[in-house]
Amino acid sequence: GQQVQQSPASLVLQEGENAELQCNFSTSLNSMQWFYQRPGGSLVSLFYNPSGTKHSGRLTSTTVIKERRSSLHISSSQTTDSGTYLCALERGGADRLTFGKGTQLIIQP
Amino acid sequence: EAAVTQSPRNKVTVTGGNVTLSCRQTNSHNYMYWYRQDTGHGLRLIHYSYGAGNLQIGDVPDGYKATRTTQEDFFLLLELASPSQTSLYFCASSDAGGTQYFGPGTRLLVL
């Protein structure tokens, strides 16, 4: 079965609303990484978060290992936040990532 | 900031054609990766490398070869391209257990 599951698959919000994206995993975790993929295709690293909570501006990532989940919270969303958000799991003992299928986020003005 | 570049950015070839995708990173990372991205599948790992001369098989290696000639350069080879290899290809680099930095991607169309 799929080792990394992201939800929701797509999310449409109005500008100013908060977004909550989820990533659930079924294997042991070495690290969890979150990426943003621009509509043009390029990927940008957002967080490297093996456990706990990390903040970067309006973004917050929380990884809870024993619950096998990681979340990405975007506060006060802006139209420029639109794009695809990917989580990726680095399994214990491996030097490679397994990606979820992504959440497509659309922020309407 | 890690710099990863890919060439070409777009490529069109015919079935049976020979294609080489190039990737260069200038941050002295040991690890380099090749992924493909397709609708409904997300990013899938094709091949990766721990350093010059090293090659590791990823999750979807069939139909692909790769070669790591230097620490900076990692190549993906499609020797008999098929339409099923039409995809968006990404290269990435990282230190061991660290954040992966991605190149801009190469769009490949196999007719």
Side-chain angles (χ1 to χ4, degrees), chain A residues 91-102:
Chain A
R91 290 167 281 169
D95 295 311
R96 45 194 282 180
L97 296 177
T98 300
F99 281 80
K101 294 183 179 181

Side-chain angles (χ1 to χ4, degrees), chain A residues 33 37 41 45 48 95-96 101, chain B residues 33 37 40 59 90 97-99:
Chain A
Q33 299 185 29
Q37 186 167 27
S45 175
Y48 177 92
D95 295 311
R96 45 194 282 180
K101 294 183 179 181
Chain B
Y33 308 83
Q37 186 177 33
D59 298 319
F90 286 102
T99 299

Side-chain angles (χ1 to χ4, degrees), chain B residues 3 5 15 21 26 44 57 72 78 83 99 101 110:
Chain B
T5 56
T15 299
L21 306 184
T26 59
R44 293 180 290 174
I57 296 172
E72 294 78 19
L78 292 73
T99 299
Y101 295 90
V110 183

Side-chain angles (χ1 to χ4, degrees), chain A residues 30-31 33 35 37 39-45 47-48 84 86 90-91 95-101, chain B residues 31 33 35 37 40-43 45 48 50 57-59 88 90 96-100 102-104 107:
Chain A
N30 205 37
S31 75
Q33 299 185 29
F35 297 87
Q37 186 167 27
S42 61
L43 284 95
V44 176
S45 175
F47 289 102
Y48 177 92
T84 301
L86 299 164
E90 182 181 353
R91 290 167 281 169
D95 295 311
R96 45 194 282 180
L97 296 177
T98 300
F99 281 80
K101 294 183 179 181
Chain B
Y31 292 78
Y33 308 83
Y35 295 91
Q37 186 177 33
H41 289 283
L43 275 92
L45 182 65
Y48 62 112
Y50 296 146
I57 296 172
D59 298 319
L88 178 58
F90 286 102
T99 299
Q100 289 194 15
F102 281 77
R107 292 190 182 276

Side-chain angles (χ1 to χ4, degrees), chain A residues 1-6 23-27 32 87-89 98-101:
Chain A
Q2 194 177 340
Q3 295 180 340
V4 182
Q5 293 188 317
Q6 288 191 246
C23 183
N24 293 282
F25 47 93
S26 58
T27 66
M32 177 63 71
C87 67
L89 166 75
T98 300
F99 281 80
K101 294 183 179 181

